[in-house]
Amino acid sequence: MAELATVARPYAEALFRVAREGDLNAWSELVAEMAQAAAHPEVLALAQNPNVSDADMGALFVALLKSPVTAQAKNFIDMLVENRRIALMPEIGAQFHALKNASEGAADAVITSAFPLADGQVTELIASLEKKFGRKLNPSVIVDAALIGGVRVEVGDQVLDTSVRAKLQQMQVALLA
């Protein structure tokens, strides 16, 4: 079977083209919601159940969504249901998000901190990171006490690790060498 990313790519690109013609942010929220709903094990089980008709599955999927569903979104959902591709929706959502970030010149930044960060600290950190990486960053903050102190930032495939744990590991390697 083909890799999920390869199969999902044309769906994500087509959905992104449609979204750019309308309200991209509204579409982004809807796609994220659809991806979350499609990832639920009970939804996947229903989608694979041959006793559930395509019309029923499409209606059920739309009913799970809080965001308003446009006619274009309904057509997309119906197409996924007919082609038995609901399970691709989380990957489609991830690729859609990546396309949106690329079009906006932005990137996701995962900030892992040893302690909870105040909003002002996150704002300051993001401002300096945006200068360093040269693009707008969409932060998400995770607290991991195992870092001992400092922060670890991941932007795409780049990692900036200023945590105490990383420094201790570097010292250990240097001492053992």
Side-chain angles (χ1 to χ4, degrees), residues 35-139:
Q36 185 178 9
H40 196 281
E42 291 178 10
V43 172
L44 290 173
L46 274 175
Q48 295 170 355
N49 187 338
N51 295 327
V52 177
S53 72
D54 289 349
D56 289 343
M57 185 61 209
L60 172 77
F61 195 78
V62 169
L64 291 173
L65 305 175
K66 288 187 247 177
S67 301
V69 178
T70 64
Q72 292 168 320
K74 176 73 171 111
N75 288 341
F76 183 76
I77 292 167
D78 290 342
M79 185 223 13
L80 288 178
V81 170
E82 284 176 28
N83 294 320
R84 303 279 184 225
R85 300 278 196 215
I86 286 291
L88 286 179
M89 197 58 227
E91 180 62 29
I92 293 169
Q95 290 189 24
F96 181 92
H97 184 71
L99 289 167
K100 180 178 181 275
N101 276 347
S103 76
E104 296 173 344
D108 292 332
V110 178
I111 302 168
T112 307
S113 172
F115 303 100
L117 297 174
D119 290 343
Q121 291 173 311
V122 173
T123 304
E124 263 183 59
L125 182 59
I126 288 299
S128 64
L129 290 171
E130 285 178 343
K131 288 178 189 171
K132 177 176 179 41
F133 289 103
R135 56 187 156 177
K136 183 184 180 312
L137 298 176
N138 304 317

